C-alpha cells in the first residue's frame, strides 16, 4: 500500500501519456518483496535443514496465493463532471470525479488526483483522494467551489491508479482529459437613457428623424392618399375645412458596434473580488453594453482590434446575447507585440449608421490613429477608457517613477488630441457611463452639416 501512495505526481505532466502496450495491471514492490522473502526463507531452510524457516515462509506464500487466485482484468474508469448551467463569475461550481470499477474484483485502494484551473477555487482539489471501490461499483468525489474569473476554465485532467489483490497488483495510471467549464463575465450595471445618434432599422425603440408609424408627433399636414383614417386630426380639419392628419416619426432600431482593443494586456487580474486588468474591464463592459442594447431591441455586433480581427455579425434578441457571451469567452490579448498591422479596422468595416463604442486603454498609438480615422470618415464613435486607475509599470530602477510620469503626460496629450478631432473619451464607470457622450454625439448627428 505504501508503494502506491508514493506515486508523485498522480497526474502525468501535460503532453505525456502512459503506454497502451503491455498489461494494464503490474506487480507492485510488495509482491516482489513477498516472492524474494519466501524464496530466501525456503532456500535457507533447505540448505541449513531448518524446518522453522520453511514454516516461517509458509504464511507469505499462502497469503500471496490466496490474494492472487483471482486477478483483475479491467482498469478503473474515471469521469469528470462539471456544472453545465449558466455560470457567472462569483458563482458556485459543482464539479466532481466518479471512479467506476468494471471488474469483478474489489479495488482495495484507488488514488485519485486532478488538476484544476487557477480561476476555479475547488475545495481540496490540490491533494490526492484515497478511496475504495467494490466490484461492479463506483465512488464519487465532490469538488464544490467558486468561479473566480470569466473564460473557458478546465477541471482536469484527472488520473487514477488502483491497487487490488491485497496491494500485490496495481494498474497503470488511467488519465482522463480535462472537462471545460464556461464562466461568463459578470454583467456590470449599465444604463444609457440618451437617444442614439442614428437609427436605421425598420422597427425599434429609438425615435428617428424619418416620418413613419411611431409614437412621436412630428406635426400636422394635409391628408394624402395612403394615410390612415385614424391619423385624421379632426380639430384642425374642422377649423380649416380640409382634412389634416397627424404626422409621426418612425421608431427604429439602431446598430451598435463594440470594438475591443486587444493589442495588449495591462494590470493583473484578481478575479471577481480582486483588481481588474484591462481585458477584464473590456470584457465585462462589453457584456453590460450588449445586454442593455439587445434588451431594447437593437442590433449589436462585436469586432476585435488585433491581428485576428474576429468579428461577430450584427443581430438582435436573446440568442444574440448568448452568442455575445460565448464570443467574449475567447477574447485574448494579442501576442503580436510591436508588429505593425495595416488596415486592421478601416471605415469600410463599419456601417455608416452604427454607433461605434471602442473599448480601449489608449496605450498603443495604433488605437488612437484608428479612432481618429473612424471619426474623420463620419462614423459615430465613442471611446471608453478601460485603463485601470492605478495602472503603472513595475519599478525596475530609480528612473521608473520619472518614466511613468512622462508616460502619463504623453497619454493625456493623446486624449487631448482625440477630443480635438471630435472623439469623445469617457472612463468606464458602470451605470450612466455613456450618457453624457451619447448626448453630445446625438446633438452632432442631428445638427445640419455644412455643404
Amino acid at each position: 500500500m505504501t508503494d502506491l501512495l508514493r506515486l508523485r505526481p498522480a497526474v502525468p505532466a501535460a503532453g505525456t501519456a502512459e503506454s497502451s502496450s503491455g498489461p494494464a495491471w503490474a506487480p507492485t514492490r510488495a509482491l516482489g518483496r513477498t516472492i524474494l522473502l519466501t524464496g530466501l526463507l525456503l532456500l535457507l531452510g533447505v540448505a541449513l535443514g531448518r524446518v522453522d524457516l520453511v514454516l516461517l515462509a509458509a504464511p507469505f506464500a499462502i497469503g500471496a496465493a490466496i490474494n492472487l487466485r483471482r486477478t483483475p482484468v479491467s482498469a478503473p474508469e474515471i469521469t469528470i463532471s462539471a456544472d453545465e448551467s449558466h455560470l457567472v463569475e462569483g458563482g458556485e461550481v459543482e464539479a466532481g470525479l466518479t471512479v467506476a470499477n468494471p471488474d469483478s474484483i474489489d479495488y482495495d485502494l484507488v488514488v485519485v488526483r486532478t488538476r484544476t484551473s487557477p480561476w476555479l477555487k475547488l475545495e481540496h482539489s490540490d491533494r490526492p483522494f484515497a478511496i475504495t471501490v467494490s466490484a461492479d461499483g463506483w465512488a464519487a468525489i465532490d469538488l464544490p467551489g467558486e468561479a473566480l474569473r470569466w473564460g473557458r476554465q478546465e477541471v482536469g485532467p484527472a488520473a487514477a491508479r488502483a491497487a487490488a489483490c491485497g496491494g500485490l497488483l496495481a494498474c497503470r495510471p488511467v488519465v482522463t482529459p480535462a472537462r471545460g467549464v464556461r464562466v461568463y463575465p459578470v454583467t456590470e450595471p449599465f444604463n444609457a437613457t440618451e437617444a442614439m445618434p442614428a437609427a436605421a432599422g425598420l422597427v425599434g425603440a429609438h425615435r428617428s428623424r424619418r416620418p413613419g408609424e411611431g409614437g412621436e408627433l412630428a406635426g400636422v399636414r394635409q391628408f394624402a392618399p395612403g394615410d390612415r383614417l385614424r391619423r385624421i386630426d379632426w380639430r384642425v380639419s374642422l377649423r380649416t375645412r380640409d382634412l389634416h392628419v397627424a404626422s409621426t416619426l418612425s421608431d427604429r432600431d439602431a446598430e451598435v458596434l463594440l470594438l475591443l482593443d486587444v493589442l495588449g494586456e495591462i494590470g493583473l487580474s484578481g478575479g471577481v473580488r480582486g483588481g481588474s486588468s484591462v481585458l477584464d474591464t473590456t470584457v465585462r463592459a462589453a457584456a453590460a453594453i450588449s445586454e442593455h442594447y439587445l434588451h431594447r431591441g437593437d442590433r449589436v455586433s462585436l469586432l476585435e482590434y488585433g491581428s485576428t480581427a474576429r468579428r461577430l455579425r450584427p443581430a438582435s434578441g436573446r440568442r444574440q446575447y448568448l452568442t455575445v457571451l460565448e464570443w467574449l469567452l475567447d477574447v485574448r490579448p494579442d501576442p503580436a507585440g510591436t508588429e505593425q498591422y495595416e488596415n486592421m479596422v478601416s471605415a469600410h468595416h463599419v456601417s455608416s449608421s452604427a454607433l461605434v463604442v471602442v473599448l480601449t486603454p489608449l496605450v498603443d498609438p495604433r488605437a488612437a490613429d484608428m479612432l481618429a480615422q473612424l471619426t474623420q470618415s463620419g462614423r459615430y464613435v465613442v471611446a471608453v477608457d478601460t485603463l485601470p486607475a492605478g495602472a503603472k509599470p513595475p519599478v525596475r530602477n530609480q528612473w521608473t517613477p520619472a518614466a511613468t510620469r512622462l508616460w502619463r503626460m504623453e497619454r493625456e496629450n493623446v486624449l487631448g488630441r482625440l477630443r480635438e478631432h471630435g472623439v469623445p473619451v469617457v472612463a468606464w464607470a458602470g451605470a450612466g457611463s455613456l450618457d453624457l457622450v451619447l448626448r453630445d454625439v446625438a446633438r452632432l448627428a442631428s445638427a445640419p452639416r455644412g455643404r
Side-chain angles (χ1 to χ4, degrees), residues 393 398-412:
Q398 68 273 18
W399 302 108
T400 300
T404 302
R405 289 194 296 270
L406 290 175
W407 170 74
R408 290 193 178 276
M409 293 173 60
E410 182 180 358
R411 187 172 182 273
E412 290 297 329

Side-chain angles (χ1 to χ4, degrees), residues 1 64 70 78 124 142 162 165 173 207 226 235 252 262 266 284 293 315 334 345 410 425 434:
M1 296 295 180
R70 296 178 61 193
I78 181 171
H124 309 302
D142 295 329
C165 300
R207 178 172 64 97
R235 291 185 179 181
R252 302 189 174 216
V262 295
I266 301 175
R284 292 165 185 166
Y293 285 111
D334 195 341
V345 175
E410 182 180 358
V425 181
L434 306 184

